[in-house]
């Protein structure tokens, strides 16, 4: 009988502990959801949130965070503080020889509907199927489903989008992959910063300008976006009521309203040949 009473007491204690543990988990999960909601809101829209009467500037916050990157991040001991990260990887020369190609980034910029994705896909098919090369396309719409899902279309968010994509492009490029970036990337300084990141790491970079007039892309309107702009459904659309700053000195210009897709692909193939990236030696 005493054993039964002791057993009942222990069961009661276990139940109490389980209830306390459950309540703690609920509080933890609830707090996590609230925190994630705050982060999501701060990352969206115009880039600011009004809290206690003061606007939170997400763009300034990002700038400060990037400037304060901890100095003690070391990829491997061989690199040391401030050393080249090349020491942490297979040397590029050996990698390129094994792959029989070199890395390069083709940064394709232009208005929506200017043919960036269409030409990039045709180029990718040519390189992969005909030449057996390793290619990765980073498309603006594609990265917004994952990597840039938290970003809107403000100038600050577009800047952050270009920064993130340029960093990913550097990683692919450094690994010997022919990397095709297809972003509207409307601001010249943002694209220049992408180029600078590549140059800092000794990576090949070609800016490709899809030089197609607004009237032509409005007629094409492959996604129906310009129609929505005309009806007032979409505001601040690049090239219409938001700025697009064309490149001043792109390596390649494709006025593709005067060219076929195949002709554009051939121009890009010629540029890759001249850059020496279609072989590894």
């Amino acid at each position: 009988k005493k054993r039964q009473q002791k057993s009942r007491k222990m069961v009661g204690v276990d139940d109490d502990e389980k209830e306390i543990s459950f309540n703690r988990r609920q509080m933890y999960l609830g707090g996590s959801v609230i925190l994630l909601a705050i982060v999501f809101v701060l990352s969206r829209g115009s880039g600011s949130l009004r809290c206690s009467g003061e606007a939170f500037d997400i763009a300034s916050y990002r700038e400060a965070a990037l400037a304060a990157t901890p100095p003690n991040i070391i990829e491997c001991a061989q690199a040391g503080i401030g050393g080249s990260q090349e020491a942490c990887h297979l040397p590029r020369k050996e990698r390129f020889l094994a792959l029989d190609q070199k890395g390069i980034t083709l940064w394709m910029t232009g208005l929506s509907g200017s043919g960036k994705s269409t030409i990039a896909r045709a180029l990718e098919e040519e390189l992969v199927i005909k030449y057996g090369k390793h290619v990765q396309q980073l498309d603006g719409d594609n990265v917004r489903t994952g990597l840039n899902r938290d970003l809107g279309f403000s100038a600050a968010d577009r800047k952050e989008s270009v920064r993130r994509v340029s960093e990913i492009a550097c990683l692919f490029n450094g690994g010997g992959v022919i990397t095709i970036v297809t972003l509207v990337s409307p601001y010249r300084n943002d694209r220049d910063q992408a180029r600078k990141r590549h140059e800092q790491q000794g990576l090949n970079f070609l800016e490709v300008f899809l030089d197609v007039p607004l009237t032509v892309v409005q007629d094409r309107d492959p996604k129906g976006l310009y129609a929505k702009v005309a009806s007032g459904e979409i505001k601040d659309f690049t090239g219409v009521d938001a700025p697009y700053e064309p490149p001043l000195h792109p390596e390649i210009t494709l006025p593709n309203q005067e060219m076929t897709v195949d002709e554009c692909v051939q121009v890009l193939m010629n540029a890759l040949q001249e850059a020496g990236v279609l072989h590894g030696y």
Side-chain angles (χ1 to χ4, degrees):
K1 188 174 181 180
K2 288 182 178 180
R3 287 180 180 177
Q4 289 177 344
Q5 290 175 344
K6 184 177 181 181
S7 175
R8 282 196 295 270
K9 287 180 180 179
M10 290 177 66
V11 169
V13 170
D14 288 344
D15 288 343
D16 289 340
E17 289 178 350
K18 288 179 181 178
E19 184 176 354
I20 292 171
S21 178
F22 176 76
N23 289 336
R24 285 175 177 171
R25 286 199 298 271
Q26 276 190 318
M27 292 174 62
Y28 174 80
L29 291 173
S32 298
V33 170
I34 293 171
L35 178 60
L36 289 172
I38 292 172
V39 172
F40 176 80
V41 170
L42 291 178
S43 303
R44 299 293 297 177
S46 61
S48 63
L49 176 70
R50 190 164 295 280
C51 183
S52 302
E54 296 183 2
F56 181 86
D57 187 346
I58 188 66
S60 297
Y61 174 81
R62 285 193 193 116
E63 292 288 344
L66 290 170
T69 299
N72 297 319
I73 296 177
I74 302 173
E75 187 172 348
C76 65
Q78 292 84 348
I81 298 177
S84 172
Q85 301 305 304
E86 282 295 300
C88 307
H89 302 277
L90 180 69
R92 285 181 188 168
K93 187 175 181 180
E94 293 181 32
R95 180 185 296 274
F96 295 164
L97 282 172
L99 295 174
D100 193 28
Q101 69 178 69
K102 300 184 183 75
I104 191 170
T105 296
L106 297 177
W107 193 283
M108 302 178 71
T109 176
L111 297 173
S112 177
S114 61
K116 299 182 297 297
S117 298
T118 300
I119 295 169
R121 283 194 296 269
L123 176 63
E124 181 178 25
E125 183 175 330
E126 178 85 357
L127 287 166
V128 174
I129 296 177
K130 187 174 180 179
Y131 290 88
K133 300 304 178 184
H134 301 279
V135 180
Q136 179 62 52
Q137 183 183 354
L138 300 174
D139 182 76
D141 290 327
N142 182 274
V143 296
R144 282 189 178 276
T145 65
L147 177 67
N148 290 344
R149 191 173 60 180
D150 62 319
L151 299 178
F153 292 91
S154 66
D157 280 0
R158 286 184 178 276
K159 178 179 181 178
E160 176 63 11
S161 173
V162 170
R163 188 193 71 81
R164 293 182 188 180
V165 173
S166 69
E167 293 293 343
I168 297 297
C170 285
L171 293 175
F172 278 117
N173 187 331
V177 178
I178 296 170
T179 308
I180 308 171
V181 175
T182 51
L183 286 181
V184 173
S185 43
Y187 299 108
R188 191 176 297 125
N189 183 64
D190 297 345
R191 298 192 304 268
D192 289 345
Q193 289 303 311
R195 178 191 294 275
K196 183 178 179 180
R197 282 296 291 151
H198 283 72
E199 290 174 347
Q200 288 171 341
Q201 300 172 63
L203 300 171
N204 295 312
F205 182 95
L206 297 177
E207 187 174 37
V208 183
F209 177 33
L210 284 294
D211 187 8
V212 183
L214 177 62
T215 53
V216 174
V217 297
Q218 286 174 324
D219 288 340
R220 291 177 179 175
D221 201 11
K223 302 175 184 176
L225 298 177
Y226 289 103
K228 292 182 179 180
V229 172
S231 69
E233 186 177 345
I234 297 178
K235 302 290 186 182
D236 300 323
F237 195 77
T238 300
V240 181
D241 51 357
Y244 176 80
E245 300 170 355
L248 298 178
H249 306 290
E251 282 78 10
I252 302 169
T253 299
L254 297 176
N256 63 74
Q257 75 278 11
E258 304 167 359
M259 307 168 67
T260 66
V261 172
D262 287 343
E263 288 172 338
C264 292
V265 168
Q266 190 55 55
V267 169
L268 296 173
M269 287 297 298
N270 292 341
L272 293 175
Q273 291 277 10
E274 292 176 12
V277 299
L278 298 184
H279 53 74
Y281 50 84

